[in-house]
Amino acid sequence: MKRLKAALMGLAGVGADYLAAIRSDEQFELAAVADTDPEVLRRQTDMAPARVYEDYRSLIVETAHAGLDLLFVALEPFQSTEFVQMAATRGIGVFHKAPCARSVREAQRLVDRFAGSERPLVVSRPWQFEPAYAALNRLAEFTGHVHAATVHVQTADTPVGWRGDSIRAGGGVLLNGAYEAVDMLVHLLGMPERVYAQCSAAVAPGAPRKYDTEDTATVLLGFGQERTACVTALRGVAEPSWEVAFVGTEGTVEVGADGVTITPRKGSPVKHPAARAANPAAHALSAFGASQLSNGRPLKSKAEEHLSTLAVIEAAYLSARTGAPESPGHFPR
């Protein structure tokens, strides 16, 4: 069996899940890893036969000469954009944690770099590959016409380091905490026509702000065709959690970390327990590898699909500044 030569940038956070998934999947041959944090590298004591790098540019330049097929990126966009473009130039496919960019324009530049390439740019969308959430692929069957949806996300993140800097972060909890839940909403319901948002920081009135990204975001989405949605995102809480609910003419589908619950309009709730993989990244990475080995298997969650999600989030930030509803369709690409 042909194996795909793979490298990983970023070993902290979700990068640890990526590392375990790559090393346990026979589709991949882990050729190299990199992280700029010496402490993170020290914790990874046995990486043989993969080569370990302390800078990302060297990893790409040297492994590209050795025939690298795929690059897995577990970095934030302000760290990764330059290196994703380098990978595109060298014909290396990229799987990037979400989000892959801070704005529609930034994401479009990456998409353009991969246009016409044999290797794609894919952005993580774990629920799309996780069997515990398979019911979402048949959403209309359980809900009928979805006329309302709600998203509630709480993260334990605090505005320290890059998270409090709007230039590096691109945004606060809405972009860097609620992205995956918003992406689920947009992917399943489509692009809204109007977005209205208000954002706030976790400071007392009159107290000085030490950072310029939001801790709270409340977003109303108007889709037309008798459909609305509401997103609430909070950061800095003690217990992180997330939940998405789709309310339709025939029933309700509630999604959360513990699985899916389907409640028919005339009936009792049916809970679909989360028979989830121990590694939340494993299914998505495996599907990405299989698509690259098959040369024909449909590829899900390409970066192009995420332009709409970023447009909705960007429209929300604009609305929070203007105090008026904004249209995601007006953002240039």
Side-chain angles (χ1 to χ4, degrees):
M1 171 184 170
K2 181 184 183 302
R3 302 179 74 194
L4 296 161
K5 189 171 290 187
L8 170 63
M9 295 198 314
L11 300 175
V14 72
D17 292 334
Y18 285 13
L19 177 61
I22 295 166
R23 298 188 76 174
S24 64
D25 194 321
E26 294 185 356
Q27 298 177 108
F28 305 120
E29 173 191 341
L30 184 61
V33 299
D35 201 290
T36 57
D37 186 336
E39 180 58 33
V40 171
L41 289 177
R42 275 195 293 271
R43 290 200 295 267
Q44 302 296 339
T45 56
D46 180 19
M47 296 304 303
R51 187 168 178 181
V52 178
Y53 291 86
E54 295 182 2
D55 72 286
Y56 305 126
R57 179 178 293 274
S58 295
L59 178 148
I60 294 177
V61 172
E62 294 185 17
T63 56
H65 285 301
L68 188 68
D69 296 307
L70 304 176
L71 177 66
F72 293 89
V73 181
L75 305 175
E76 304 305 328
F78 77 91
Q79 300 169 303
S80 67
T81 301
E82 172 189 358
F83 306 114
V84 172
Q85 294 180 25
M86 287 176 62
T89 301
R90 290 161 174 77
I92 300 168
V94 174
F95 183 101
H96 200 297
K97 72 177 284 292
C100 71
R102 293 163 288 188
S103 67
V104 177
R105 192 182 294 276
E106 186 173 62
Q108 185 66 62
R109 284 199 295 267
L110 297 180
V111 168
D112 291 343
R113 285 295 187 99
F114 282 85
S117 172
E118 293 183 2
R119 297 292 187 187
L121 171 60
V122 165
V123 181
S124 174
R125 187 183 283 148
W127 66 265
Q128 200 170 22
F129 304 93
E130 175 59 64
Y133 301 124
L136 291 174
N137 297 318
R138 299 152 51 206
L139 183 65
E141 178 181 330
F142 301 112
T143 62
H145 172 71
V146 174
H147 57 84
T150 60
V151 171
H152 187 80
V153 176
Q154 298 187 151
T155 80
D157 301 322
T158 55
V160 295
W162 67 270
R163 292 186 183 278
D165 180 354
S166 62
I167 300 299
R168 286 186 294 170
V173 66
L174 185 60
L175 177 64
N176 296 296
Y179 180 92
E180 291 184 342
V182 174
D183 180 58
M184 178 189 291
L185 198 70
V186 174
H187 182 73
L188 293 174
L189 301 184
M191 174 84 90
E193 298 174 358
R194 298 171 307 282
V195 175
Y196 176 73
Q198 291 195 343
C199 299
S200 61
V203 294
R209 288 189 60 177
K210 298 180 180 179
Y211 54 92
D212 58 358
T213 58
E214 84 283 355
D215 296 305
T216 304
T218 301
V219 185
L220 299 177
L221 309 175
F223 292 86
Q225 298 182 336
E226 301 297 334
R227 176 177 290 166
T228 60
C230 179
V231 177
T232 303
L234 310 168
R235 76 176 174 192
V237 303
E239 293 293 332
S241 64
W242 67 274
E243 56 188 10
V244 182
F246 300 94
V247 182
T249 54
E250 302 299 326
T252 299
V253 171
E254 297 169 281
V255 192
D258 61 347
V260 174
T261 300
I262 300 171
T263 306
R265 183 169 287 274
K266 297 179 180 179
S268 301
V270 179
K271 191 175 181 84
H272 292 243
R276 301 179 63 182
N279 185 333
H283 288 295
L285 268 64
S286 180
F288 179 55
S291 72
Q292 297 306 286
L293 288 171
S294 69
N295 294 321
R297 179 175 298 189
L299 185 63
K300 297 180 179 179
S301 199
K302 294 180 70 172
E304 295 92 309
E305 299 177 28
H306 290 257
L307 294 173
S308 295
T309 302
L310 284 166
V312 169
I313 292 173
E314 199 166 348
Y317 283 134
L318 178 60
S319 173
R321 295 193 298 270
T322 65
E326 301 292 345
S327 171
H330 290 166
F331 282 87
R333 300 186 182 183

